[in-house]
Amino acid sequence: MRAKITYAITAAVLVVYFVLVGSRGVMLLQQGTLLTVTFGLAVLILPVIGVWFLWANTRFVTRANRLAAELDAEGGLPVDDLPRTPSGRIDRDAADEAFARRKAETEDSPDDWRCWFRLAIAYHDARDTPRARKAMQRAIALHTPPGNAEAGPSVT
């Protein structure tokens, strides 16, 4: 729950920032000189990219959370029982061992979104965030029926 609140606050702050930056871009456009119009367009690009990024990440997180809830209801979520260091980080050797099991499971059932979801968690535990995200995207793609408009493009 704490992560959701933090995400919501961060998203709200970003939206306020996008509005402020966008208003400055509009002010520059209203000046009407070649220089201010050029800067105004450049400034307006930043909030557009930011809004797209925020939307894409929010959509990704929402879908991943839906899969987590479904897998939890089935009793298929992996138990978080890996040993931790005194600082609270997951022990690297234990994470690597769990990863090897999840990788083998996914290789045995490459079309099962549940295996890809668990592999994404194993990547995350092993501190490989880019691959964790790719594995979660694969799980989402396998879970979403083909032709479903909700699926949309993949976010990297």
Side-chain angles (χ1 to χ4, degrees), residues 89-148:
R89 295 185 90 170
I90 294 174
D91 178 65
R92 185 70 170 209
D93 293 333
D96 289 344
E97 183 182 315
F99 171 78
R101 285 193 315 267
R102 295 301 178 198
K103 184 177 179 191
E105 176 188 42
T106 305
E107 288 171 350
D108 290 342
S109 303
D111 294 328
D112 186 359
W113 68 267
R114 293 162 187 85
C115 294
W116 283 97
F117 186 96
R118 289 187 286 264
L119 181 63
I121 292 172
Y123 270 125
H124 183 267
D125 290 345
R127 300 182 200 138
D128 191 347
T129 305
R131 286 192 177 128
R133 189 170 181 89
K134 293 274 187 203
M136 188 60 72
Q137 288 170 345
R138 180 77 175 133
I140 291 168
L142 287 170
H143 184 266
T144 306
N148 187 343

